[in-house]
């Protein structure tokens, strides 16, 4: 094989190999955010509320249960609400606390 044909193929292969780690390292970001979505979500046994904010605010959410619903103040990040078998949902009510 001549150098004219070999060199571009070698450069292309090297670029492909060097580009793969960058693509692989970008994958965990979307996967991690899918595991902890903003708002109400359930894991296998837990009900959680993830308040996604950049301003550090605390907000009031309404927690939906079999009995009367109740309000709760949550801060930034994940908050455990209780057992997924007892909590049907939760949503932001439009005010801070």
């Amino acid at each position: 094989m001549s150098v004219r044909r070999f060199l571009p193929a070698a450069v292309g292969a090297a670029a492909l190999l060097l580009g793969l780690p960058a693509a692989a390292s970008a994958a965990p970001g979307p996967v991690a955010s899918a595991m902890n979505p903003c708002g109400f979500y359930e894991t296998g046994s837990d009900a959680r509320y993830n308040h996604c904010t950049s301003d550090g605010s605390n907000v009031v959410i309404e927690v939906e249960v079999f009995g009367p619903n109740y309000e709760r103040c949550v801060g930034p990040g994940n908050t455990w609400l209780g057992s997924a078998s007892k909590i049907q949902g939760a949503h932001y009510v439009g005010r801070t606390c």
Side-chain angles (χ1 to χ4, degrees):
M1 181 183 280
S2 73
V3 174
R4 286 186 196 173
R5 291 185 187 169
F6 177 74
L7 189 58
V11 170
L16 180 62
L17 290 175
L18 293 175
L20 287 178
S25 66
V31 172
S33 65
M35 292 174 51
N36 295 320
C38 296
F40 175 78
Y41 69 97
E42 293 180 351
T43 63
S45 60
D46 297 319
R48 305 187 70 82
Y49 189 89
N50 188 14
H51 175 42
C52 300
T53 183
S54 59
D55 65 5
S57 63
N58 294 336
V59 296
V60 178
I61 61 169
E62 181 176 342
V63 180
E64 301 165 8
V65 294
F66 288 115
N69 295 347
Y70 62 91
E71 291 186 346
R72 180 169 178 178
C73 180
V74 296
N78 278 300
T79 301
W80 182 76
L81 300 177
S83 171
S85 64
K86 296 181 180 179
I87 308 289
Q88 283 74 55
H91 62 273
Y92 172 58
V93 299
R95 65 181 193 270
T96 58
C97 51

